């Protein structure tokens, strides 16, 4: 391990392409992202357009996923909801990666910070996350909505809440790799050349821990999407007329017996996204594992 | 080992204190007012007295201290009294709910069996299904069974419980009509027929929860068995003429279980989290439903107590996982 350098990014890309799971997962995820980005622009029916004459329809040509109890097109709502769900997932992942990388690097580079930061990580790992997330949403929903508007407030709240409670694994991985890197000659050389700790951290260590950060990002993205959907499903996510996948699913569950398509479509969207991201993350991890080459 | 256990236990106490303080401070910011339901005709001075009676007028640190004393001293005393018929807790104040003005723990004790039944059964079922899948996937690596098994575990891992729940209701309750979609918590098992009714209504929630467990544990089991199959002791066992069943079922299984047992212990909190959602789907009147109800009420003492109980569960399972690991694998030495 000591003489096999951690994968540089171009070599990594080539090895990822040899992982069928990663290619399939990445491809599917790209398709989903493109669909929710471009789809609402191409699809003629607006997600909030109410067509009372076409209430409670099953899937047909005009409405491929059917319509809901107000006559809104489920396909348009799933596309639009995907934007929110993916935006929440990606932003929460970014927050978690930033926090985790920062904590991990600081703990790895500065010896005196290692103990306190790792104890902090342990405490966070022992927090009951789902109950706490529910409590946080309930407590801060109104005050943040007042400042940033109903959608902006809940978006910021959910992103910060999910990101702020899911950085611990990244921090542990980054710290472990940083500790290993610290003993290497190039770090010693950089130190001997007079590199200051912060520059050492950012210029020499950070580029070398990017690949494990990437993998934990892929896994974090799927967790963030599922958590947001769970919050919406429990009625403590986005406001009712704001279609996220979890919200659409929870709204459709009461009509499950009569109009199953309405619940299955958003549910499938969540599951396929998580599935593709999980395959992508697994493929990335295998591509970087030196034991498998 | 003993000193390690004591050190770990000693560390668990401050962790729990910090967590309970964090939750308490978070709830401090809550907008909920237990006096919100009191009629406007009640004069302000009476209201102030009622506030005092609920212990709301005091400074934060005092109220946290009181909660802590009630949680770790008074409530255990009540339990002791209940078990042995003593009266240590006589006249001591307990943690009261803002919703129904009764002790929080009384309701928790009523609700907990529902959750434990469903969650416990689901966990056992999930483990019993996962272990053979993991072993056989690793043994017949890259076979069709392995491919299918890996795919099913990834799907089980990706499909969240709030989707599998409605999906299973749709298939087994609506289309086939085999099992009820709603869990009747008032049902009492008195005879054989009552038992089958109970069994039937447990099938769907248990299926939802055990799917998650199965997916996770089967993945770890497969990886652990793969690691062990390449070891020298397996070749030795085969070379001395042991049957494949013995090699796999005794030698490999026992060694592969070492990491998996810790995963099983560490997975407990996650399945309790999953139970919050599952209870919502099937209307199970368990501790998760109590928590959601208290959050929406809002009933802060109940939220604080239940969240703290979850944290205790997490810390204890982490501790158990660490200790089990050292106990099962004598190669691991704690200094």
């Amino acid at each position: 391990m000591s003489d096999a350098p951690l994968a540089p990014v171009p070599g990594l890309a080539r090895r990822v392409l040899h992982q069928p799971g990663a290619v399939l997962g990445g491809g599917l995820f790209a398709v989903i992202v493109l669909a929710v980005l471009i789809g609402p622009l191409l699809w003629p029916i607006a997600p909030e357009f109410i067509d009372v004459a076409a209430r409670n329809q099953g899937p047909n040509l005009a409405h491929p996923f059917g319509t809901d109890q107000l006559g809104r097109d489920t396909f348009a709502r799933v596309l639009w909801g995907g934007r929110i769900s993916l935006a929440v997932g990606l932003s929460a992942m970014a927050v978690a990666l930033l926090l985790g990388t920062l904590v991990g690097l600081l703990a790895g580079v500065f010896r005196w910070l290692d103990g306190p930061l790792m104890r902090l990580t342990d405490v966070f790992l022992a927090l009951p996350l789902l109950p706490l997330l529910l409590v946080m949403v309930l407590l801060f929903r109104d005050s943040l909505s007042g400042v940033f508007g109903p959608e902006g407030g809940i978006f910021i709240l959910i992103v910060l809440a999910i990101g702020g409670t899911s950085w611990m694994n990244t921090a542990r991985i980054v710290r472990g790799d940083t500790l290993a890197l610290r003993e290497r000659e190039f770090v010693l050389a950089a130190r001997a050349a007079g590199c200051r700790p912060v520059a050492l951290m950012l210029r020499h260590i950070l580029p070398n821990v990017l690949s494990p950060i990437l993998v934990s990002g892929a896994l974090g993205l799927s967790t963030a999407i599922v958590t947001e959907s769970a919050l919406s499903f429990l009625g403590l996510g986005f406001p009712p007329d704001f279609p996220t996948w979890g919200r659409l699913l929870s709204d459709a569950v009461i009509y499950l017996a009569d109009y199953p398509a309405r619940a299955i479509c958003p549910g499938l969207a969540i599951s396929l996204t998580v599935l593709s991201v999980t395959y992508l993350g697994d493929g990335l991890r295998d591509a970087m594992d030196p034991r498998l080459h | 080992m003993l000193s390690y256990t004591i050190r770990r236990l000693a560390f668990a106490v401050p962790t729990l204190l910090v967590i309970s303080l964090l939750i308490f401070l978070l709830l401090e910011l809550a907008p909920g007012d237990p006096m919100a339901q009191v009629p406007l005709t009640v004069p302000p001075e009476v209201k102030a007295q009622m506030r005092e009676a609920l212990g709301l007028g005091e400074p934060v640190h005092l109220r946290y201290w009181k909660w802590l004393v009630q949680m770790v001293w008074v409530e255990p005393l009540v339990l002791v009294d209940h078990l042995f018929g003593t009266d240590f807790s006589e006249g001591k104040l307990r943690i009261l709910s803002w919703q129904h003005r009764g002790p929080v723990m009384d309701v928790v004790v009523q609700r907990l069996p529902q959750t434990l039944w469903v969650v416990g059964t689901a966990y056992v079922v999930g483990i019993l299904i996962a272990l053979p899948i993991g072993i056989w996937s690793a043994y017949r690596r890259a076979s069709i069974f392995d491919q299918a098994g890996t795919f099913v575990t990834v799907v089980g891992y990706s499909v969240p419980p709030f989707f599998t729940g409605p999906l299973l209701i749709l298939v087994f309750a609506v289309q086939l009509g085999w099992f009820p979609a709603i869990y009747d918590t008032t049902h009492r098992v008195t005879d054989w027929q009552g038992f089958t009714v109970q069994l039937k209504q447990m099938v769907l929630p248990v299926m939802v929860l055990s799917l998650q467990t199965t997916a996770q544990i089967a993945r770890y089991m497969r990886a652990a068995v793969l690691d062990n199959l390449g070891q020298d002791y397996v070749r030795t066992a085969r070379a001395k003429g042991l049957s494949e069943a013995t090699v796999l079922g005794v030698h490999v299984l026992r060694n592969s279980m070492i990491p998996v047992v810790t995963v099983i212990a560490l997975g407990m909190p996650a399945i309790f989290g999953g139970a919050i959602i599952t209870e919502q789907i099937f209307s199970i009147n368990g501790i998760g439903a109590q928590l959601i109800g208290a959050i929406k009420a809002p009933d802060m003492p109940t939220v604080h107590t239940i969240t703290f109980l979850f944290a205790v569960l997490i810390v204890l399972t982490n501790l158990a996982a660490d200790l089990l690991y050292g106990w099962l694998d004598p190669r691991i030495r704690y200094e």
Side-chain angles (χ1 to χ4, degrees):
Chain A
M1 182 67 208
S2 65
D3 53 358
L6 283 166
V9 172
L12 178 70
R14 205 184 60 242
R15 271 189 277 168
V16 169
L17 289 179
H18 286 288
Q19 299 278 338
V23 174
L24 265 176
L28 183 58
F29 185 61
V31 168
I32 293 171
V33 170
L34 277 179
V36 302
L37 277 184
I38 305 174
L41 305 175
L42 299 180
W43 188 243
I45 309 173
E48 66 272 17
F49 176 70
I50 295 175
D51 180 6
V52 188
R55 270 182 305 150
N56 293 328
Q57 287 189 352
N60 55 39
L61 273 181
H63 305 286
F65 289 1
T67 57
D68 67 3
Q69 72 281 5
L70 294 175
R72 291 176 295 194
D73 181 53
T74 307
F75 185 60
R77 288 169 72 72
V78 168
L79 285 180
W80 192 254
R83 279 192 176 187
I84 305 162
S85 290
L86 285 181
V88 169
L90 286 168
S91 326
M93 177 200 80
V95 171
L97 284 189
L98 251 153
L99 272 175
T101 309
L102 188 70
V103 170
L105 279 177
L106 286 177
V109 172
F110 299 102
R111 222 163 261 236
W112 55 278
L113 275 175
D114 192 19
L117 282 179
M118 283 302 108
R119 292 294 84 74
L120 182 76
T121 313
D122 287 344
V123 167
F124 264 82
L125 278 171
L127 286 177
L129 291 184
L130 190 59
L132 272 189
L133 282 173
L134 294 172
V135 170
M136 279 197 261
V137 170
L138 181 87
L139 297 185
F140 301 112
R141 186 163 51 184
D142 296 331
S143 40
L144 275 174
S145 295
V147 184
F148 300 102
E151 293 101 33
I154 195 91
F155 183 86
I156 293 172
L157 172 60
I158 289 185
V159 164
L160 288 184
I162 295 178
T165 50
S166 52
W167 51 269
M168 292 81 76
N169 285 323
T170 316
R172 282 194 161 177
I173 294 167
V174 170
R175 170 185 172 265
D177 283 359
T178 308
L179 285 181
L181 283 170
R182 259 172 46 151
E183 308 303 320
R184 301 271 296 274
E185 280 86 358
F186 74 89
V187 174
L188 190 67
R191 279 223 178 110
C195 191
R196 307 191 85 118
V198 175
L200 181 80
M201 211 165 78
L202 295 179
R203 294 246 294 275
H204 297 276
I205 293 185
L206 183 61
N208 283 295
V209 292
L210 273 184
S211 347
I213 294 177
L214 211 64
V215 175
S216 66
L219 299 177
L221 175 61
S222 58
T223 326
I225 292 176
V226 168
T227 311
E228 184 275 317
S229 306
L231 289 180
S232 295
F233 187 82
L234 292 173
L236 284 161
F238 281 87
D241 48 351
F242 215 66
T244 72
W245 285 339
R247 187 87 226 175
L248 289 174
L249 180 58
S250 98
D251 285 348
V253 163
I254 38 174
Y255 302 101
L256 191 66
D258 300 320
Y259 313 107
R262 215 183 286 165
I264 290 176
C265 294
L268 267 184
I270 300 172
S271 309
L272 280 180
T273 311
V274 174
L275 190 68
S276 66
V277 175
T278 308
Y279 263 117
L280 181 64
D282 279 1
L284 279 177
R285 194 189 49 211
D286 288 351
M288 284 180 340
D289 193 340
R291 285 179 303 174
L292 297 179
H293 298 283
Chain B
M1 185 75 194
L2 183 68
S3 80
Y4 177 77
T5 312
I6 294 170
R7 248 189 308 140
R8 286 282 289 139
L9 267 174
F11 183 63
V13 173
T15 309
L16 281 174
L17 279 179
V18 170
I19 289 174
S20 74
L21 184 64
L22 275 177
I23 304 169
F24 185 80
L25 291 177
L26 192 65
L27 295 179
E28 249 331 278
L29 304 161
D33 181 5
M35 297 278 110
Q37 304 293 324
V38 176
L40 287 171
T41 46
V42 174
E45 58 267 25
V46 178
K47 260 191 187 173
Q49 277 176 0
M50 289 167 80
R51 211 168 264 282
E52 203 71 22
L54 280 174
L56 284 173
E58 289 159 346
V60 177
H61 60 276
L62 219 62
R63 282 172 31 219
Y64 174 69
W65 175 248
K66 281 192 170 169
W67 176 87
L68 199 64
V69 168
Q70 287 170 337
M71 186 73 212
V72 302
W73 180 242
V74 179
E75 294 296 347
L77 279 185
V78 172
L79 183 69
V80 169
D81 288 357
H82 182 74
L83 290 179
F84 304 107
T86 48
D87 48 0
F88 293 123
S89 63
E90 197 61 30
K92 291 205 170 67
L93 277 178
R94 302 179 61 187
I95 305 172
L96 296 184
S97 156
W98 289 354
Q99 263 174 309
H100 48 83
R101 311 289 198 246
V104 170
M105 287 308 263
D106 287 1
V107 183
V108 170
V109 169
Q110 283 170 15
R111 301 289 188 92
L112 203 56
Q114 316 280 2
T115 305
L116 284 183
W117 254 114
V118 175
V119 166
T121 318
Y123 217 46
V124 172
V125 169
I127 292 166
L128 288 181
I129 297 174
L131 294 187
I133 291 182
I135 296 171
W136 199 249
S137 291
Y139 187 64
R140 291 261 176 264
R141 193 185 177 178
S143 68
I144 296 193
F145 181 88
D146 182 26
Q147 306 269 350
T150 310
F151 181 73
V152 169
T153 52
V154 174
V155 168
Y157 185 77
S158 318
V159 184
F162 46 82
F163 185 42
T164 41
L167 218 55
L168 290 178
I169 289 182
L170 184 67
V171 173
F172 291 105
V174 178
Q175 303 283 340
L176 297 172
W178 290 355
F179 308 112
I182 287 177
Y183 187 95
D184 177 12
T185 32
T186 59
H187 180 73
R188 292 275 164 277
V189 178
T190 47
D191 51 358
W192 178 250
Q193 216 213 326
F195 179 69
T196 52
V197 169
Q198 172 68 17
L199 219 56
K200 270 188 170 177
Q201 68 174 356
M202 275 179 70
V203 168
L204 289 185
V206 165
M207 244 160 127
V208 170
L209 280 172
S210 55
L211 189 65
Q212 274 183 302
T213 322
T214 307
Q216 204 190 8
I217 294 175
R219 278 184 105 178
Y220 278 102
M221 193 66 200
R222 178 176 178 275
V225 172
L226 272 182
D227 269 353
N228 275 292
L229 278 177
Q231 301 276 328
D232 288 342
Y233 76 85
V234 177
R235 196 180 315 124
T236 310
R238 282 185 177 142
K240 70 179 185 185
L242 293 181
S243 69
E244 279 298 285
T246 318
V247 172
L248 208 60
V250 180
H251 294 229
V252 172
L253 178 68
R254 286 179 60 172
N255 283 289
S256 310
M257 281 308 284
I258 295 170
V260 175
V261 163
T262 60
V263 172
I264 290 174
L266 288 176
M268 287 287 278
I271 197 163
F272 269 87
I276 296 179
I277 293 167
T278 314
E279 286 180 3
Q280 205 72 9
I281 298 171
F282 295 98
S283 319
I284 303 173
N285 208 6
I287 194 159
Q290 190 193 0
L291 178 69
I292 300 279
I295 285 177
K296 287 183 173 167
D299 174 5
M300 293 314 159
T302 306
V303 176
H304 194 189
T305 308
I306 296 181
T307 333
F308 182 70
L309 288 178
F310 272 88
V312 171
L313 183 80
I314 296 176
V315 170
L316 285 185
T317 48
N318 280 339
L319 190 66
D322 272 8
L323 297 181
L324 265 178
Y325 202 62
W327 181 65
L328 285 173
D329 192 348
R331 287 170 300 185
I332 295 169
R333 280 278 155 260
Y334 301 109
E335 75 285 6

